[in-house]
Amino acid sequence: FLDEADLLGDNVTVLAAPGRLLAEGTPVSLKSTLGEGYTIVVTFPATSDPEKDRAFSTAQSLVNKIVPKAEHARVTQVTETNATFALRSKDVHVVREVLEVLQTEQAAGVIAGYEVHGTSLEDIFIRLMGSDTKHSDGHIAEDGEKEGEVTAIAPVESDPRETPTKLEEPKPLGLSNGRRTWFYQQAWTVYRKRLLILRRAWLGPLLAMAIACSGACIPLFFMKDRVKTCTPDFVPKYTTSLMLPWSPAIAFQGFSNFTTSSEDSVYSDAYTPIIAPPNALEPLSQFFTSVRVNTVADRQALLDDIKTNAKNISLGGMFINTAGNDSLITYEISEFLSGPTLLNLASNVWLASASGSTPGGQTPVIAANYRPFAARSGAGLDPMKWGFTMVLYGYTGILFAYCVSLVSSSALAAFSIVAGYQVIMFMLYLSAYMLTLTYALPSKTDSYMSIIHYTMSLLAPINPLVRSTLISVGLFSLDCEGTHTETSPGSMAYMGSPILYLILYGFLLFAILVAVDGGFAWPAFLTFHRKPKQEKSRDVPEDVARETETVEKSDDPLRVLHVSKRFGPNQAVDDVSFGVARGTICALLGPNGAGKTTTFNVIRGDVSPSSGDVLLNGMSITRKSAAARVYLGVCPQFTAIDSQLTVREHLKVYGMLKGLQSGGELETNIKTLLEATTLAPYADRLASKLSGGNQRKLALAIALIGNPEVVLIDEFSTGIAPDTKRAMWVTLRKVTPGKSVVITTHSMEEATALANKVGIIARRMLAVGTTAELASRYPYYEIHLSTRTREEYIRAQQLMARIPGARKADDIATRWEVPLQDPNNASHSMTLAELFTILSDQDDFSEFSVDTVSLESIFLKIIRENQVKEEGEENHKRAWWRCV
């Protein structure tokens, strides 16, 4: 920012590539030597219905009276309320004579007032850069030149093209009015946009589809040999004996010799059955001569042994009393063969006892075997049926994410919420199936699973997809109807319910988005209203109260009526009202965290106000947002361009979204905007290849397509080079006649150059009015003197002592504030002409600059008077649960 160099720099050096010196000196000397002279802004008397013809005739009359005093004077701009004259003279005596003429005109009532503006460092920088392109053979300062003396490459001549001698009334662009478009028209336009992008950027989507399809097909390779069947296969995989001594239940660490006669046999006590009483196996004594057992006396002894050595027993034991018809079997449940083996042993004892067998005789036995069967198997993934549900889930998931973004603070927060919620619901859904299979009765399993599916699928779009996936891979026999496979893919028990759920989800979420976009508002009894924080009563400034009363009765294209917005305990905007008439550019200024962005978003319809309303051409943005947006154009701070579209294609897409008819109407509007924004030479260039300034011009052209009556511009020229910035300002003035324009900016220079109305906001409106009205609050002029030594500073004090009320500025010691004639204060009776008379008669300072109090100074004074703090300086108490 060159105004920063002007305020802080004792010496300023201007360089041009490759490191060539263009100018050097103090800010005051640069302005005095290289500046074009003073500029005067004349304000016309206020009337109920200003006429442009009257303004032009008055401006021409003033030119005829000014030119005899300043022969190079020109008119640079004329509006209904003011005119700007460039004197093209730095002679203080000439300026004094011109001011005396204007003072006479003001006394006669021809004009309401006038202001004087000096040359800025930015003006000098731009002229030097332009001169450097024409005079690249300039000289460098010689060694003998004095310190602080200005050195320039070449004489800087005035460019007559900057100030036309012929007064021309700016005319509105011949654009067609936009029309309201329905969502299917917008969807078709966006689809055509994607096709335009696909022509240049086809590789990325192709690779994404290839990777997705390849990943989806991977399960097919693992499941290709599976045969679909719902009938159990009774061919056993293997056979294992449950009869001692051949049962593996008594084998341990590879031991397979169960004979007690072999000295090499080693048995583990953990895998040895415990028998009570010792003679319990006598009916099988002939058969089980080779089985080793541990015996105990009776039933109680068996139970005591089990309790004492439970951790060391891996098989178990049994008690059989054939005489008392009593038996007990205990076994280690983790060993799945232990129980069946001991049960088979007990069955054989009871059988031998019942058959009356005697020792030495043949004993009947039951030779039981364990034979596991193969499980029922699905046929594998069904790509067509599963793929269709995947497509439905994709669209439903996108709509679900958009709905979540309506209540989340950012896109990243919305993504985190959606991803986390979907994962949790997936785990709960799958866990419910697993728990049902584990604990439910087999006869109730199918009905329980259906209940789980039909209820939990209401909670998240992921659950119908999980159901269709389980059906496709044949898990949980969900694709079986008894012992038969489901033959109707669309039945509710098969793929019908997941598809139906996803379709209904999609319609519901889409309806919510359309309703919100169309300005849907919840009924009052369903809306939670936080009790507002009680604030101290405050006085409303007179200009703010007058603006509020005026806007309530006006028919301005943009009317902001008592808008308030609260985010939790934070009151972001508090009862803000203002209007913007046709042909007015209103600058909305405020410190960080003052509510500018919130107010801007409320006007756009992106944020619903807690109270109040915004009317665009009489249409409420809160109740009829879709219809109101037809009259609205937005140029955002960050240029919304697509890197794969040209300038012309951008305008074509946004023109169709604004309802312009394809063909002649659309092409004519595109041509008009390209010429008005000087983008015609770049019409077929990719937007990503444009310079920063031209990208901002493209954003402005997009905002103007459809000829909206209200245009919102956020940080139009922030971060742009000074020369490009000036060109952008010229473009903005040229394309916005007859429109109501609101700009938000941190650049006071931009606001001064573009706006004819200013609102200063810090949650509430602190001041509002034209720049002249705000300046009238502080009728000061700033005199900039170069005081680099103590002696120069003393002489400056002596000079300022001759001017009543002069004092040092708050920001910097080399600037002095001089109060001029104030209609509310009779003691301040000095006019501008008298001020220039005093300055022209003194000999202490040959170089100085005089300028009206800047908008930045006014802004700072108002902020200080209202004790406004920057964002982060206020102490907000947080709820205890927010600190957890």
Side-chain angles (χ1 to χ4, degrees):
F1 293 99
L2 291 176
D3 55 350
E4 184 175 359
D6 192 6
L7 283 173
L8 302 179
D10 293 327
N11 201 70
V12 176
T13 301
V14 182
L15 300 176
R20 290 182 293 106
L21 181 64
L22 294 184
E24 181 181 6
T26 64
V28 175
S29 61
L30 289 176
K31 294 176 184 178
S32 300
T33 308
L34 301 179
E36 285 192 334
Y38 289 94
T39 300
I40 298 178
V41 179
V42 175
T43 305
F44 301 132
T47 60
S48 58
D49 186 17
E51 295 181 3
K52 202 93 178 241
D53 294 339
R54 182 183 303 171
F56 276 98
S57 61
T58 304
Q60 188 62 63
S61 173
L62 291 175
V63 168
N64 296 334
K65 296 179 180 180
I66 291 175
V67 169
K69 309 294 183 182
E71 59 181 352
H72 299 293
R74 295 290 186 275
V75 180
T76 59
Q77 184 181 5
V78 178
T79 67
E80 293 93 337
T81 58
N82 57 62
T84 303
F85 299 86
L87 298 185
R88 301 294 183 96
S89 175
K90 293 170 282 188
D91 190 338
V92 181
H93 298 84
V94 172
V95 177
R96 183 191 62 187
E97 292 176 358
V98 172
L99 293 179
E100 290 174 349
V101 171
L102 295 178
Q103 186 68 29
T104 302
E105 297 295 318
Q106 182 179 9
V110 177
I111 62 175
Y114 56 91
E115 297 175 352
V116 174
H117 299 275
T119 304
S120 67
L121 276 185
E122 187 167 291
D123 295 327
I124 296 171
F125 175 82
I126 294 173
R127 294 182 64 248
L128 286 175
M129 291 297 107
S131 176
D132 180 58
T133 60
K134 301 176 184 178
H135 307 282
S136 59
D137 56 347
H139 74 281
I140 305 298
E142 299 294 334
D143 295 337
E145 293 176 341
K146 297 181 181 180
E147 181 182 358
E149 188 175 17
V150 176
T151 303
I153 283 183
V156 181
E157 299 178 357
S158 300
D159 186 356
R161 294 173 299 176
E162 295 180 3
T163 55
T165 57
K166 181 181 179 181
L167 300 182
E168 295 181 358
E169 179 180 358
K171 298 180 180 179
L173 299 178
L175 299 175
S176 301
N177 293 330
R179 306 173 185 87
R180 183 176 179 180
T181 56
W182 300 100
F183 68 87
Y184 57 84
Q185 294 173 292
Q186 299 174 9
W188 173 243
T189 301
V190 174
Y191 177 74
R192 292 179 63 178
K193 173 188 173 184
R194 302 313 304 176
L195 292 180
L196 288 174
I197 295 175
L198 194 62
R199 293 188 308 173
R200 300 186 180 95
W202 53 269
L203 183 58
L206 182 62
L207 289 176
M209 292 182 62
I211 293 173
C213 293
S214 300
C217 293
I218 289 176
L220 296 176
F221 294 100
F222 297 97
M223 306 171 70
K224 60 182 179 180
D225 296 328
R226 296 179 63 180
V227 179
K228 184 176 181 65
T229 177
C230 290
T231 303
D233 187 357
F234 291 101
V235 177
K237 292 183 177 180
Y238 58 88
T239 301
T240 299
S241 176
L242 297 177
M243 184 175 177
L244 296 177
W246 301 281
S247 173
I250 61 174
F252 180 69
Q253 295 181 350
F255 295 109
S256 58
N257 186 0
F258 299 99
T259 62
T260 57
S261 60
S262 175
E263 296 179 358
D264 298 331
S265 298
V266 179
Y267 292 88
S268 171
D269 288 339
Y271 287 88
T272 301
I274 304 172
I275 305 299
N279 63 347
L281 298 183
E282 285 185 0
L284 298 176
S285 59
Q286 181 64 29
F287 190 78
F288 291 112
T289 57
S290 60
V291 178
R292 179 186 174 186
V293 297
N294 293 329
T295 60
V296 293
D298 53 20
R299 177 191 182 104
Q300 188 60 42
L302 173 64
L303 295 176
D304 293 340
D305 194 3
I306 293 294
K307 292 180 180 179
T308 304
N309 304 306
K311 295 183 179 180
N312 300 321
I313 296 176
S314 300
L315 180 58
M318 71 176 186
F319 164 77
I320 294 182
N321 181 8
T322 57
N325 198 23
D326 186 18
S327 63
L328 172 68
I329 298 175
T330 64
Y331 60 92
E332 169 59 44
I333 194 172
S334 62
E335 302 289 341
F336 72 96
L337 291 180
S338 300
T341 297
L342 292 176
L343 183 61
N344 179 252
L345 179 60
S347 299
N348 285 328
V349 171
W350 283 109
L351 180 61
S353 176
S355 62
S357 60
T358 59
Q362 294 184 351
T363 303
V365 294
I366 300 173
N369 294 315
Y370 171 70
R371 308 179 72 183
F373 301 113
R376 291 192 295 187
S377 173
L381 189 66
D382 191 333
M384 294 301 296
K385 302 169 187 175
W386 182 69
F388 181 65
T389 56
M390 279 294 295
V391 172
L392 287 177
Y393 171 74
Y395 283 104
T396 305
I398 292 173
L399 295 174
F400 183 67
Y402 267 111
C403 288
V404 173
S405 68
L406 297 176
V407 295
S408 59
S409 58
S410 65
L412 181 59
F415 171 79
S416 302
I417 294 172
V418 171
Y421 179 73
Q422 296 275 61
V423 168
I424 292 173
M425 295 310 302
F426 164 75
M427 296 175 64
L428 291 176
Y429 188 82
L430 200 59
S431 298
Y433 271 29
M434 299 299 296
L435 292 173
T436 300
L437 286 174
T438 304
Y439 296 106
L441 295 174
S443 60
K444 300 290 186 179
T445 299
D446 290 343
S447 62
Y448 287 167
M449 282 191 171
S450 297
I451 293 174
I452 291 171
H453 165 61
Y454 288 117
T455 54
M456 295 192 67
S457 291
L458 295 171
L459 303 179
I462 189 66
N463 292 339
L465 177 66
V466 175
R467 172 80 173 192
S468 67
T469 304
L470 297 178
I471 292 174
S472 297
V473 299
L475 290 179
F476 305 133
S477 301
L478 294 176
D479 58 341
C480 295
E481 183 67 30
T483 58
H484 304 285
T485 59
E486 180 63 56
T487 57
S488 177
S491 67
M492 294 298 292
Y494 194 47
M495 287 290 191
S497 59
I499 292 175
L500 180 61
Y501 268 103
L502 290 174
I503 291 175
L504 293 178
Y505 248 118
F507 277 115
L508 176 62
L509 296 174
F510 186 75
I512 292 174
L513 291 175
V514 172
V516 172
D517 187 68
F520 172 79
W522 290 102
F525 67 90
L526 294 178
T527 304
F528 173 75
H529 294 282
R530 183 186 297 270
K531 185 177 180 180
K533 182 180 178 181
Q534 297 295 330
E535 298 185 359
K536 296 181 180 179
S537 59
R538 59 175 182 270
D539 295 331
V540 179
E542 182 181 351
D543 54 348
V544 175
R546 185 170 57 251
E547 175 71 13
T548 302
E549 183 179 355
T550 301
V551 73
E552 289 175 348
K553 302 176 181 178
S554 71
D555 58 351
D556 294 339
L558 173 61
R559 298 165 62 198
V560 179
L561 301 172
H562 302 284
V563 166
S564 297
K565 180 60 181 178
R566 176 181 290 273
F567 296 98
N570 179 32
Q571 184 74 47
V573 180
D574 185 11
D575 194 20
V576 171
S577 299
F578 65 93
V580 183
R582 290 176 178 84
T584 300
I585 299 180
C586 177
L588 203 59
L589 308 178
N592 293 328
K596 299 189 304 296
T597 301
T598 302
T599 304
F600 203 75
N601 290 334
V602 169
I603 298 174
R604 293 170 56 179
D606 288 347
V607 174
S608 298
S610 302
S611 62
D613 201 356
V614 175
L615 302 181
L616 299 176
N617 207 29
M619 198 76 67
S620 171
I621 193 68
T622 59
R623 295 188 298 270
K624 299 179 180 179
S625 60
R629 287 193 180 114
V630 174
Y631 307 104
L632 180 65
V634 179
C635 178
Q637 178 180 358
F638 301 102
T639 307
I641 61 173
D642 197 297
S643 60
Q644 299 300 325
L645 290 181
T646 65
V647 173
R648 188 186 305 276
E649 288 169 346
H650 272 91
L651 296 177
K652 184 175 182 180
V653 169
Y654 283 96
M656 290 188 293
L657 288 174
K658 284 295 188 74
L660 300 183
Q661 296 178 356
S662 300
E665 182 183 47
L666 183 57
E667 293 301 326
T668 300
N669 281 264
I670 292 175
K671 181 180 179 181
T672 301
L673 284 173
L674 288 175
E675 293 176 351
T677 56
T678 66
L679 290 175
Y682 317 106
D684 298 315
R685 180 179 297 184
L686 290 178
S688 57
K689 303 298 182 182
L690 296 175
S691 65
N694 283 333
Q695 286 185 355
R696 296 300 292 161
K697 289 181 182 179
L698 174 58
L700 178 61
I702 292 173
L704 293 173
I705 194 78
N707 197 28
E709 294 198 37
V710 179
V711 180
L712 306 181
I713 303 175
D714 192 6
E715 301 287 350
F716 183 53
S717 59
T718 299
I720 304 298
D723 53 344
T724 305
K725 179 166 60 176
R726 293 296 181 93
M728 292 170 59
W729 293 351
V730 173
T731 300
L732 180 60
R733 294 192 194 101
K734 184 169 60 174
V735 300
T736 55
K739 299 186 181 301
S740 302
V741 182
V742 178
I743 62 173
T744 60
T745 180
H746 286 95
S747 172
M748 299 300 162
E749 184 181 15
E750 180 177 73
T752 303
L754 297 177
N756 45 26
K757 184 175 184 177
V758 176
I760 299 178
I761 183 175
R763 291 185 174 87
R764 57 188 176 89
M765 191 66 76
L766 303 180
V768 62
T770 64
T771 53
E773 290 172 347
L774 293 182
S776 66
R777 283 190 174 193
Y778 310 96
Y780 296 98
Y781 267 76
E782 292 181 341
I783 301 177
H784 193 181
L785 302 173
S786 179
T787 55
R788 309 182 73 177
T789 64
R790 177 176 178 79
E791 290 73 15
E792 291 178 343
Y793 181 72
I794 293 175
R795 290 200 302 269
Q797 285 183 316
Q798 295 173 349
L799 174 61
M800 292 300 107
R802 297 168 55 187
I803 303 175
R807 66 181 185 87
K808 287 192 300 182
D810 297 330
D811 301 321
I812 191 168
T814 59
R815 292 179 183 267
W816 299 76
E817 291 183 350
V818 178
L820 295 182
Q821 187 173 12
D822 185 358
N824 298 323
N825 191 340
S827 62
H828 294 165
S829 58
M830 178 177 289
T831 64
L832 269 174
E834 293 172 347
L835 174 62
F836 272 85
T837 299
I838 295 175
L839 295 176
S840 62
D841 292 341
Q842 59 87 27
D843 298 324
D844 293 327
F845 295 93
S846 60
E847 296 175 344
F848 58 86
S849 65
V850 179
D851 203 347
T852 183
V853 61
S854 65
L855 183 59
E856 181 173 357
S857 298
I858 297 173
F859 172 79
L860 292 175
K861 290 178 183 296
I862 292 175
I863 292 297
R864 289 166 184 164
E865 288 175 358
N866 290 272
Q867 300 179 350
V868 177
K869 296 181 179 180
E870 286 278 352
E871 185 179 20
E873 294 181 359
E874 297 181 348
N875 296 323
H876 296 289
K877 293 183 179 181
R878 302 179 63 188
W880 64 268
W881 53 269
R882 292 182 179 271
C883 301
V884 178

